[in-house]
Amino acid sequence: MHLYSSMPTAITPADLYEIKGNPAARAALATCNIYLVTARRRIYIDPSNVSREGNVVHGAFIVQRTSGVTHVPFELTITDEIVVNADYVRDVQVFGSGTHLAVVTEGNTTILAAHVVVAHADSALSGEDKDLEVLYVGQGIGRSGQRSAIDRLLNHTTLQRILADASTFRPDHELILLLYRFQNLKIMLSTGGDLNAEPEASSAEERLHVDRMHQATLSRHAQVALAEAGLIRHFQPIYNTQLKDSDFSARKKAKILQDLLRKDMTGLIVEISSGNVRSRLRTESAHPIDISQIFDEAALTGSRLESETDKRAWAAELHQMEHSHFAQFALTTPDERDSFVHGTIWQGETQRDNVPRS
């Protein structure tokens, strides 16, 4: 079973209190059911270095790297995606703190946090500059299924502790909350095992079995619980205390994993992406995908593609790939899997050809 998310909505902890009193914003985020508390070294906007030409803003980010503080130029095209009345920009101003950009249009002023500018601007910021460390993974769906991630975060003691620790021990870092909707799943089926053995099921029974597998589904609550468990096990966030050491293939399983096995599911994949915020997710236990280890230079540049349309589409695919994580878990032990999937007796052989186990 493959669970995959929407793209996240990124907000600051302070935004929670703005959203709390904004019915439209609450409605827009009502179906967000998984949240990540993330951190990175703060990226500022230089208040002394900003200019505008129409709806294009030129400025510079202030970035703290191991080599010292540096300024990274950026160009931001203001579109309707981020500002109302983007075609009627009248002025742009940077807060003295360097944390926000104010965009003034006809009859409206939009305040953009620096992380929003980072996500939408063209710049030479490196992946390491923008990477987000996953500190905590949680779910925002209550027993009734009505509570959202916003509701949970507004009354969250662990978030309060993270904020206290950050202000004391990491004052040069910013916290960014990523709100996800996990409400999609795919079922993948494969065949294997001893291909020369006589099947025990009839063709009709096998067809019924495959049909039942194709129709397998989970409740929204179950999907969210599985997504949370898989992401915690994958990222090992420092502020999560449960599920970090869970063995999904152990004989004594959590109820939700037992339910998967009863549906004949033997593996779980939880896919999460952060491509829209242009920031990769990482922890000490889960590093971003290094696409340079997968593709050669020609593939990375798309030089073998003929049309510009294909090149842009391929670049978008690569971007999505390097901003995605795949938490993958077997629900059975190697011995169990060898009995029905991996071992094969080839024609003319008498022994099973066992796949090496890691």
Side-chain angles (χ1 to χ4, degrees):
M1 182 165 285
H2 179 191
L3 305 176
Y4 56 99
S5 72
S6 64
M7 287 295 156
T9 297
I11 63 173
T12 68
D15 292 331
L16 289 171
Y17 301 94
E18 296 292 331
I19 295 169
K20 179 181 180 180
N22 186 326
R26 285 185 65 89
L29 299 173
T31 55
C32 291
N33 45 42
I34 289 287
Y35 57 88
L36 273 57
V37 182
T38 69
R40 69 173 168 220
R41 197 178 296 274
R42 187 178 290 278
I43 300 173
Y44 296 94
I45 305 170
D46 186 351
S48 66
N49 184 3
V50 62
S51 62
R52 177 182 65 88
E53 297 177 12
N55 66 338
V56 178
V57 179
H58 296 274
F61 294 121
I62 303 175
V63 185
Q64 175 70 52
R65 294 174 175 166
T66 54
S67 58
V69 177
T70 186
H71 288 67
V72 179
F74 72 79
E75 180 180 290
L76 172 67
T77 301
I78 299 174
T79 65
D80 289 329
E81 182 182 356
I82 54 176
V83 169
V84 177
N85 292 331
D87 293 334
Y88 302 96
V89 177
R90 294 292 177 258
D91 192 18
V92 293
Q93 300 173 359
V94 180
F95 284 23
S97 61
T99 60
H100 293 78
L101 178 72
V103 181
V104 181
T105 60
E106 285 188 357
N108 188 62
T109 298
T110 303
I111 308 301
L112 303 178
H115 72 81
V116 177
V117 180
V118 168
H120 289 89
D122 292 324
S123 74
L125 288 172
S126 69
E128 288 72 21
D129 291 331
K130 297 181 290 183
D131 282 352
L132 294 169
E133 178 189 0
V134 179
L135 303 179
Y136 185 85
V137 175
Q139 62 166 290
I141 182 170
R143 293 183 182 276
S144 66
Q146 299 303 310
R147 188 177 62 175
S148 70
I150 293 294
D151 298 316
R152 180 73 180 99
L153 287 164
L154 281 166
N155 299 279
H156 203 301
T157 55
T158 302
L159 176 58
Q160 294 169 8
R161 179 190 169 191
I162 294 171
L163 287 166
D165 286 349
S167 66
T168 303
F169 303 111
R170 305 173 82 181
D172 58 337
H173 280 60
E174 60 183 331
L175 294 182
I176 298 174
L177 310 176
L178 301 181
L179 312 181
Y180 287 90
R181 297 172 179 83
F182 271 89
Q183 53 195 21
N184 299 297
L185 65 83
K186 292 186 293 188
I187 306 296
M188 292 177 283
L189 300 107
S190 64
T191 59
D194 187 349
L195 302 181
N196 298 313
E198 192 67 28
E200 296 182 7
S202 67
S203 297
E205 290 171 329
E206 187 58 30
R207 279 194 297 272
L208 287 173
H209 179 236
V210 171
D211 289 342
R212 181 166 60 85
M213 293 287 289
H214 276 299
Q215 295 168 12
T217 187
L218 289 174
S219 68
R220 180 169 178 263
H221 193 286
Q223 290 182 50
V224 173
L226 277 174
E228 180 193 35
L231 293 174
I232 291 173
R233 186 66 182 86
H234 176 73
F235 285 113
Q236 300 279 297
I238 59 174
Y239 286 95
N240 282 98
T241 57
Q242 298 179 346
L243 299 172
K244 291 166 70 171
D245 300 318
S246 297
D247 181 356
F248 284 22
S249 65
R251 289 191 177 276
K252 186 177 181 180
K253 293 180 172 62
K255 181 178 182 300
I256 188 64
L257 297 177
Q258 294 174 4
D259 290 344
L260 275 187
L261 282 177
R262 280 193 286 271
K263 297 177 185 292
D264 281 354
M265 299 296 161
T266 57
L268 173 68
I269 300 173
V270 182
E271 179 183 351
I272 191 168
S273 178
S274 56
N276 65 320
V277 295
R278 290 190 180 180
S279 299
R280 303 176 304 183
L281 303 175
R282 69 159 59 241
T283 60
E284 288 297 322
S285 301
H287 295 274
I289 295 173
D290 184 355
I291 59 175
S292 67
Q293 299 297 312
I294 303 173
F295 301 105
D296 60 24
E297 185 65 23
L300 291 174
T301 60
S303 60
R304 297 190 185 97
L305 301 174
E306 296 182 358
S307 74
E308 289 301 316
T309 300
D310 287 344
K311 289 181 180 181
R312 285 193 296 270
W314 175 238
E317 287 288 334
L318 290 176
H319 174 83
Q320 190 67 19
M321 187 182 301
E322 65 181 349
H323 287 82
S324 296
H325 280 261
F326 295 85
Q328 304 179 69
F329 308 97
L331 304 181
T332 53
T333 65
D335 285 337
E336 289 173 312
R337 293 195 296 277
D338 184 62
S339 68
F340 61 86
V341 174
H342 290 149
T344 297
I345 301 178
W346 301 102
Q347 291 284 356
E349 302 290 336
T350 58
Q351 299 296 317
R352 295 170 63 84
D353 185 9
N354 294 320
V355 176
R357 301 166 188 163
S358 58

